[in-house]
Amino acid sequence: QRRLVDTLRCRQLLFSAANGSAHATGGSSKLLRALIDGERFFKRFQASMSNATQRLALDFLQNLLSSRIAFAFFGSVQSLTHEGARRMWRDSQHCHAVPTTSMIGVVEPHTMPECLQMLSKVLLEQMDYSCKQDTQVAEEEALAHPIGVNNRNSVMLRMSDMRSAVQRTHHWSPLKEEVIFLETERDVDAAVFDPP
C-alpha cells in the first residue's frame, strides 16, 4: 500500500457527491416511509391468511430485501446522504502531500439533457440551501474537501483543494456511450453529452 500511495500525484473528483446529496437524504427518508407503509398494508391481511401463506410471504420479502441488489441499493443510498457523508469524512484518512482538484457543474436550461429535467426539478424542491446544481449535487456540496466535519484530515484536505472553476454542465456530462439511448434530438443538437 505504501508503494501505491507514493505514486499518487493528484486526487480528481468529478461532480463529487462526497459531501452528500439532497436526493439521497430525501430518498432515504422516503424509502423508510415506504417500508413502514408496506408493513402496515400487509398487516391487514395477517388475520385472513393462513400461517403457511404468511411464512411464504415473509420468506419472499426477507429474500428480496436481503438480496445482493437490495443490499447494494440500500447501502449506496445511505452512503450518499448528508449523514453518511459525515461518517465517511469523520473516519477517512488521506495522503497529505497530494493536491486535490474537482470538477463542479452547474446546469443551465440550454445545457440540461431532457432525461435529467425531472431530477433537476426534484433536487431544487428538496434543497432549501442552493439553487445552483448539476441535477444531482448542489454546487456548494461538490467540493473536494469535507464541509460537514472539522478534524485534522478535513483541514488538510481543505488546504490541498485547488478549487476549480465551475463548469456550465450537468452531472452526466462525462458519459456518452452509456446514455446514448437517452439522447433526444434536442440533446444531440445542443451537444449536451459531448465533453467540454
Side-chain angles (χ1 to χ4, degrees):
Q1 284 182 340
R2 176 59 80 188
R3 272 183 294 201
L4 285 173
V5 169
D6 288 341
T7 63
L8 186 62
R9 297 291 176 248
C10 179
R11 280 181 290 270
Q12 172 68 38
L13 304 176
L14 298 176
F15 311 111
S16 176
N19 282 306
S21 170
H23 275 314
T25 302
S28 181
S29 63
K30 289 174 188 168
L31 190 60
L32 180 61
R33 278 199 316 258
L35 289 172
I36 292 169
D37 288 345
E39 180 184 9
R40 287 181 181 152
F41 175 77
F42 286 117
K43 277 193 181 245
R44 284 193 260 161
F45 298 107
Q46 196 170 7
S48 61
M49 285 186 186
S50 69
N51 192 24
T53 307
Q54 288 179 29
R55 284 181 185 257
L56 182 67
L58 287 174
D59 286 345
F60 172 74
L61 286 173
Q62 183 175 1
N63 288 336
L64 178 71
L65 293 175
S66 61
S67 69
R68 181 178 289 170
I69 293 170
F71 184 79
F73 174 75
F74 293 135
S76 65
V77 168
Q78 181 56 37
S79 69
L80 291 174
T81 64
H82 291 111
E83 182 56 34
R86 276 192 283 282
R87 281 195 304 270
M88 179 198 66
W89 286 120
R90 181 192 65 207
D91 300 330
S92 64
Q93 297 178 2
H94 295 87
C95 184
H96 70 283
V98 178
T100 307
T101 66
S102 60
M103 186 169 188
I104 301 169
V106 171
V107 74
E108 296 173 327
H110 66 280
T111 61
M112 186 185 325
E114 287 187 286
C115 62
L116 293 179
Q117 287 176 351
M118 188 187 86
L119 280 176
S120 177
K121 299 274 190 216
V122 168
L123 183 61
L124 287 173
E125 289 296 319
Q126 291 174 331
M127 294 187 308
D128 57 357
Y129 52 89
S130 178
C131 62
K132 295 182 178 177
Q133 41 82 24
D134 66 3
T135 69
Q136 314 247 322
V137 181
E139 176 187 356
E140 295 83 356
E141 295 172 333
L143 302 174
H145 62 271
I147 57 174
V149 170
N150 192 14
N151 57 21
R152 286 178 50 187
N153 188 54
S154 68
V155 170
M156 180 273 303
L157 284 171
R158 197 173 296 118
M159 290 174 28
S160 69
D161 187 354
M162 295 172 44
R163 297 293 205 140
S164 63
V166 176
Q167 307 291 314
R168 301 167 106 182
T169 189
H170 56 88
H171 196 82
W172 290 5
S173 64
L175 306 175
K176 181 64 176 169
E177 296 299 320
E178 298 87 345
V179 294
I180 202 157
F181 68 98
L182 295 171
E183 273 188 309
T184 63
E185 268 187 51
R186 184 185 145 265
D187 295 341
V188 172
D189 293 343
V192 295
F193 282 111
D194 292 342

